[in-house]
Amino acid sequence: ERPALSRDIRNLRQSGRYAYAAVDVERVPGGVAVIYTVAGKARISRLVVDGATELGNRKVRELLELGVGDPVDDATLGDRAAKVREAYLKKFFPFAQLTWDLREDAVAGTAEVDVKVDEGKRAQVRHIHFVGNSGVPAADLRKAMKQKRWLWYWSWLTGRGTYKPDDLETDREALRRVYLDRGYLDVQVGEPVLAARGRTGVDVTLPVAEGPLYLLGEIRTEGVTKFKVEDLQKSLTNQSGAVVSLSSVQGGQAALEDYYSNRGYLGSRVAYDLVPRGSSTVADLVYRVREGEVAHIRDIHLRGNTSTKDEVIRRELTVYPGELYNGGKVRNSERRLRNLGFFDFANAVPEETGDPGLYDLSFEVEEGRTGNLMFGVGYSSVDDLIGFVELSQGNFDLFNWPPVGDGQKLKLRGTVGTERQDIELSFVEPWFLDRKLSLGVDL
C-alpha cells in the first residue's frame, strides 16, 4: 500500500540515522519486490565549538545536542543551529550566526565537525524611524508599538529598548491598525530595516505606504427581516462624510449583533464590507446580517468550580432557566463572576438540547488563588521595631472544612513589636440570610 510505504520512508528519515531514504517497487514473478534505499549519516569523531563568549562553548554544545558517535550531516547541523540562534535571541543577540566545517571520511564513515559562533552585537534600539508617514505623526505610531527605544536613564534597569524581533513583527499590524482607524484603508507597512548604530545599538526604520484617506459614503444594512432596518440603524454611530475608522465600523458590527442577541436571537452574525466607489476616495459601508433563531434557556450548568459552591455562582447570575436568551445579561453574568476575584477565567457557552429553540447555558470557570499569606518587619519612631503576619481568604467558608468555597471574606492580622501588640480579625458575609445584604464583623 502506498500510504504504508510513505509512512516507512517518513519514519526512516525521522529516525535521524539516514541522510537519504527512498523506496521503489518492482514487479517480480508471483508479486512485487519492495526495495528500500538508504544512505547512512557519518558518525561524529570530533566536535569543536569556538567563539561562544556570551553563552559559552559548552552551553552551545549542549544546545546542539550532538556529541562523539552521533550521526550528523548538514541538515542536522542546520536544524540544531536554529536552537542556538533562538537561545541568542533570548539574550538579545539578534545577529548571532553559526557556521560549520563538516569533513567526512567516507571509508571510515566518520566526520570531524568544527562549529564557529559569531555572536554579533547585543541590540539596543536607539531610534525608530518611519518613511512615508505624512498623514500620522511618528509620535503616535511609536506610542502604538511594543518595541520601544532605549533610554539611557531608565532602560539599564528595566530592559526597555532591547531589540525584540517578535515584538517588532507584531508592531507592523499594530501600526497598520492605527492607520485603518484614521481612514487609510490601503495602508501597507513594510518589513523593518535594521542598521547598526555604534557598538551596541541598532536603528529601526519602518517603511509606510499610506495610500489615500477615505471618507464614509452610504451606510446600508442588508439581510434584515425580523426588525425594521431604521431601528437597527439607530444603534450605529457611524456617519456619512466622516473619516472611515475601522474601530467605529467594528463597533457598529458589535452593536448590530448585540441588538439581535439582546432580543433572544442566538447565532446572529454580522459581517461588513467597505466598498470604494470606483477610483474615488469614498467608501460605502455595508453590514450584512445573518439572522439567528429565537432561543430560550432550558437549564444552566456550572463547570470547573472544584471548591466554590454552586450557590455562590448562581446568585451572581442575571439569567435564569425559562428566560429568553439575552446576550447582554449573559455577558453581565460573566463579568460579575470575574469580579468576584475567585476565578481566573469565566465564560458562558450555549449548548443545543435537541429541542428547537431551547438551549442549555453552561458557565465554565477556572478557579484561581483566593488565599494570601503576608509577613514583614519594619521600624518607626513611634512603634520602634515591629513585625506582622497577615492571613486572608477571599472565598472563605465558616462552617466547612477546608474553609473555602462559600464566598465569605476573612482577614486575620497579628502585629508584634517592642511598643505594641495587635490582633485584627475581619469577617464579611456578602449574602447575609441569602439576600444581597452584606454583614461585616471587625474585632
Side-chain angles (χ1 to χ4, degrees):
E1 296 180 358
R2 284 292 176 182
L5 295 177
S6 298
R7 284 196 302 270
D8 289 344
I9 294 300
R10 184 170 62 251
N11 292 337
L12 287 170
R13 291 173 178 170
Q14 290 178 350
S15 69
R17 300 175 58 188
Y18 304 105
Y20 173 81
V23 64
D24 193 18
V25 178
E26 295 182 0
R27 292 190 178 276
V28 298
V32 295
V34 180
I35 303 170
Y36 293 92
T37 304
V38 297
K41 293 181 180 179
R43 299 278 177 172
I44 297 175
S45 61
R46 185 176 70 91
L47 175 64
V48 176
V49 177
D50 185 46
T53 303
E54 178 66 24
L55 283 184
N57 295 332
R58 179 179 297 180
K59 179 63 175 178
V60 171
R61 288 175 66 102
E62 293 174 0
L63 291 169
L64 288 172
E65 298 179 357
L66 292 173
V68 174
D70 289 334
V72 67
D73 61 4
D74 285 316
T76 302
L77 287 167
D79 183 57
R80 305 296 172 83
K83 295 183 179 180
V84 178
R85 285 193 291 269
E86 289 177 4
Y88 272 104
L89 277 177
K90 292 178 181 178
K91 291 281 188 178
F92 310 122
F93 283 82
F95 308 113
Q97 296 293 330
L98 268 74
T99 57
W100 55 87
D101 183 22
L102 179 63
R103 300 183 300 277
E104 295 188 35
D105 185 337
V107 176
T110 60
E112 295 183 352
V113 182
D114 291 330
V115 177
K116 179 67 176 177
V117 180
D118 182 8
E119 293 181 329
K121 301 175 182 178
R122 184 189 296 274
Q124 300 165 356
V125 177
R126 299 304 176 89
H127 295 283
I128 300 176
H129 304 289
F130 301 94
V131 176
N133 62 312
S134 59
V136 180
D140 292 352
L141 296 175
R142 293 191 190 100
K143 190 181 298 184
M145 298 176 63
K146 292 179 67 176
Q147 176 69 70
K148 301 300 183 182
R149 292 177 292 178
W150 181 270
L151 301 175
W152 65 269
Y153 55 86
W154 184 246
S155 296
W156 64 272
L157 181 64
T158 64
R160 169 198 162 108
T162 303
Y163 171 64
K164 299 177 183 177
D166 289 343
D167 285 354
L168 199 55
E169 185 61 30
T170 304
D171 285 339
R172 292 178 61 195
E173 183 58 31
L175 295 173
R176 184 170 175 272
R177 179 70 192 222
V178 171
Y179 274 98
L180 292 175
D181 282 343
R182 301 194 184 197
Y184 295 91
L185 302 183
D186 299 332
V187 65
Q188 297 292 329
V189 180
E191 292 277 354
V193 178
L194 274 64
R197 182 180 178 86
R199 187 172 61 87
T200 61
V202 293
D203 285 353
V204 177
T205 301
L206 287 154
V208 178
E210 291 181 334
L213 178 68
Y214 282 86
L215 301 179
L216 201 57
E218 182 185 3
I219 302 174
R220 302 194 307 272
T221 304
E222 299 178 353
V224 179
T225 62
K226 309 293 185 182
F227 303 99
K228 294 181 179 179
V229 173
E230 50 268 28
D231 290 340
L232 270 76
Q233 294 279 109
K234 292 177 182 177
S235 61
L236 301 177
T237 59
N238 305 303
Q239 294 183 349
S240 297
V243 172
V244 177
S245 167
L246 186 61
S247 293
S248 180
V249 170
Q250 292 177 339
Q253 177 189 27
L256 293 176
E257 289 182 347
D258 287 347
Y259 189 94
Y260 277 88
S261 178
N262 294 344
R263 289 160 178 77
Y265 285 85
L266 187 61
S268 299
R269 295 291 181 266
V270 178
Y272 66 86
D273 288 322
L274 284 166
V275 185
R277 292 181 181 175
S279 59
S280 71
T281 57
V282 175
D284 295 329
L285 174 58
V286 182
Y287 288 110
R288 307 186 191 281
V289 180
R290 180 171 62 83
E291 297 176 321
E293 62 175 359
V294 175
H296 286 79
I297 300 173
R298 188 182 70 173
D299 291 317
I300 294 178
H301 304 292
L302 306 179
R303 296 173 182 160
N305 53 316
T306 55
S307 299
T308 306
K309 294 178 180 178
D310 282 7
E311 63 188 59
V312 174
I313 297 177
R314 292 187 184 276
R315 68 194 185 192
E316 297 294 333
L317 304 182
T318 56
V319 291
Y320 305 97
E323 281 190 337
L324 191 68
Y325 181 90
N326 186 305
K329 288 185 176 181
V330 171
R331 288 190 296 276
N332 184 50
S333 298
E334 293 173 334
R335 184 165 53 251
R336 287 168 64 98
L337 292 179
R338 287 191 289 267
N339 289 342
L340 287 174
F342 306 160
F343 308 115
D344 294 334
F345 172 83
N347 186 47
V349 180
E351 299 174 342
E352 294 182 355
T353 63
D355 294 329
L358 281 181
Y359 287 80
D360 287 345
L361 191 59
S362 293
F363 283 88
E364 299 175 349
V365 298
E366 181 179 322
E367 305 222 53
R369 185 184 66 183
T370 56
N372 286 289
L373 174 64
M374 296 189 299
F375 55 89
V377 294
Y379 176 84
S380 75
S381 58
V382 175
D383 298 320
D384 206 1
L385 187 64
I386 191 170
F388 77 91
V389 176
E390 180 178 299
L391 176 66
S392 63
Q393 173 56 257
N395 190 13
F396 189 67
D397 189 345
L398 183 62
F399 301 108
N400 282 296
W401 187 265
V404 178
D406 202 30
Q408 301 157 354
K409 301 184 186 302
L410 177 75
K411 182 174 74 172
L412 178 62
R413 181 185 176 99
T415 304
V416 178
T418 54
E419 297 293 333
R420 60 183 292 180
Q421 293 83 39
D422 298 326
I423 294 178
E424 301 174 47
L425 176 66
S426 174
F427 174 82
V428 177
E429 168 57 77
W431 285 76
F432 184 56
L433 300 177
D434 292 326
R435 301 174 60 189
K436 196 169 178 59
L437 178 66
S438 178
L439 171 66
V441 178
D442 294 283
L443 178 65

